[in-house]
C-alpha cells in the first residue's frame, strides 16, 4: 500500500513545485494538500502573532493524520515554528520545510543574508537560524533583507516582476555574503534564474525540505 505525504500550504504558489519535488524524492507516495490562503493576510494584519493561527494549523495536521498521512510537511516558513505543536498533536513525523535549509546555512558560513518578501517570515527564519547556530555553538552575523514590493507584484499577478526584483537583490547579496537564505518557498523560482556562481550562494527551502522528508521516512522505515 502506497504511503501518503500531506503538505500544509498557506499559498497555492507552493503547490506545483512541491508536487514536482515529491515526484522526484518520494515517487511512490500519494499526496494530500491542505491550502489555507487566509493565514498570511491575517499574520500581516496582526503583526505576525502566530498564536492566532496556531490552532487552525494544528487542526490541519490532525486532519492530515486522519486522512492517512504517514508524514506531514509544513510548507510555510512564516508558521514554521507551529511544527512543534503539530508534533504534540499527531503520531506521525512532521517536517518543517526550512529546517534543512537553516542547517545548511549554518554549515556554510558566518555572514548570512536572510531575504523575504513578507515581514512575517523574517522573524521566524531569523529565530530558526539563531537556534541552529546555538546548537552548533557557532557565531553568525545575520543580515535581514525585506523586499516587500516583490510580494505586492506577486499578489497583483506579476510573477515575472516579483522574480526580477528578487534576482537583482539576490545577485547583489551573493557578492557580499557567505550564504543567502531565501526565507519563503515561493522565492525559489527567482533564485533559479541567477547565474550559476551566484545561485550557488543561495539556499532555498523546497528541495532541501523534501530531501529531509525522504530522509525522515527512510529512517522510519528502517526502525
Amino acid at each position: 500500500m502506497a504511503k501518503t505525504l500531506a503538505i500544509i500550504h498557506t499559498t497555492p504558489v507552493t503547490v506545483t513545485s512541491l508536487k514536482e519535488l515529491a515526484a522526484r524524492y518520494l515517487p511512490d507516495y500519494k499526496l494530500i494538500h491542505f491550502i489555507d490562503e487566509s493565514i498570511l493576510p491575517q499574520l500581516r494584519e496582526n503583526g505576525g502573532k502566530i498564536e492566532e493561527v496556531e490552532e487552525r494549523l494544528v487542526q490541519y495536521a490532525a486532519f492530515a493524520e486522519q486522512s492517512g498521512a504517514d508524514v506531514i510537511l509544513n510548507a510555510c516558513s512564516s508558521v514554521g515554528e507551529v511544527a512543534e505543536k503539530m508534533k504534540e498533536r499527531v503520531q506521525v513525523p512532521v517536517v518543517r520545510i526550512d529546517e534543512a535549509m537553516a542547517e545548511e546555512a549554518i554549515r556554510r558560513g558566518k555572514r548570512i543574508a536572510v531575504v523575504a518578501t513578507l515581514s512575517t517570515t523574517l522573524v521566524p527564519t531569523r529565530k530558526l537560524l539563531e537556534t541552529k547556530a546555538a546548537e552548533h555553538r557557532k557565531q553568525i552575523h545575520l543580515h535581514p533583507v525585506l523586499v516587500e514590493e516583490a510580494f505586492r507584484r506577486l499578489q497583483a499577478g506579476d510573477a515575472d516582476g516579483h522574480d526580477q526584483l528578487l534576482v537583482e537583490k539576490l545577485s547583489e547579496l551573493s557578492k557580499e555574503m557567505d550564504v543567502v537564505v531565501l526565507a519563503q518557498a515561493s522565492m525559489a523560482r527567482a533564485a533559479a534564474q541567477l547565474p550559476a556562481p551566484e545561485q550557488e550562494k543561495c539556499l532555498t527551502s523546497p528541495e532541501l525540505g523534501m530531501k529531509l522528508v525522504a530522509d525522515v521516512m527512510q529512517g522510519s522505515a528502517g526502525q
Side-chain angles (χ1 to χ4, degrees):
M1 184 176 176
K3 289 186 177 293
T4 299
L5 165 64
I7 307 178
I8 300 173
H9 307 261
T10 57
T11 171
V13 173
T14 51
V15 173
T16 299
S17 61
L18 290 177
K19 274 185 180 180
E20 292 170 353
L21 288 168
R24 190 189 315 168
Y25 289 101
L26 297 164
D28 299 325
Y29 275 58
K30 294 193 299 183
L31 294 183
I32 304 173
H33 297 275
F34 294 88
I35 307 168
D36 188 336
E37 295 183 70
S38 71
I39 287 174
L40 290 179
Q42 185 172 342
L43 289 176
R44 293 182 75 197
E45 290 172 7
N46 71 16
K49 295 177 182 176
I50 292 176
E51 59 271 18
E52 291 187 11
V53 299
E54 184 177 86
E55 181 56 28
R56 197 183 323 162
L57 287 158
V58 170
Q59 286 294 341
Y60 286 130
F63 295 152
E65 185 177 42
Q66 291 167 18
S67 300
D70 296 283
V71 58
I72 298 167
L73 176 62
N74 179 352
C76 179
S77 297
S78 289
V79 294
E81 58 199 79
V82 179
E84 295 306 313
K85 294 289 185 180
M86 293 176 179
K87 291 175 184 178
E88 295 173 6
R89 185 72 64 90
V90 301
Q91 302 301 310
V92 298
V94 178
V95 174
R96 178 175 176 169
I97 195 167
D98 53 1
E99 183 172 357
M101 177 179 67
E103 287 277 2
E104 180 65 11
I106 299 303
R107 186 188 70 79
R108 284 200 189 186
K110 294 183 178 181
R111 295 176 303 155
I112 303 172
V114 184
V115 186
T117 64
L118 279 170
S119 58
T120 54
T121 318
L122 274 180
V123 173
T125 304
R126 287 184 66 178
K127 284 170 61 177
L128 177 60
L129 287 163
E130 288 164 354
T131 298
K132 294 297 181 183
E135 288 175 0
H136 291 280
R137 297 180 180 179
K138 184 173 181 178
Q139 286 194 333
I140 58 172
H141 170 67
L142 293 179
H143 178 59
V145 178
L146 184 62
V147 192
E148 285 187 302
E149 179 58 27
F151 183 74
R152 283 192 282 270
R153 290 191 184 186
L154 191 62
Q155 277 192 312
D158 183 9
D160 290 339
H162 163 273
D163 292 355
Q164 181 183 354
L165 283 176
L166 285 176
V167 165
E168 291 170 2
K169 179 56 69 175
L170 296 174
S171 178
E172 173 190 323
L173 291 168
S174 68
K175 297 175 176 66
E176 302 170 356
M177 311 299 287
D178 296 327
V179 60
V180 181
V181 169
L182 279 66
Q184 292 147 240
S186 58
M187 300 165 66
R189 50 175 275 172
Q193 299 175 37
L194 290 165
E198 296 176 7
Q199 201 174 133
E200 281 293 314
K201 285 284 194 80
C202 296
L203 290 178
T204 60
S205 60
E207 185 162 5
L208 290 169
M210 195 62 72
K211 284 181 180 178
L212 181 57
V213 171
D215 290 343
V216 166
M217 293 315 293
Q218 287 171 6
S220 297
Q223 290 175 357

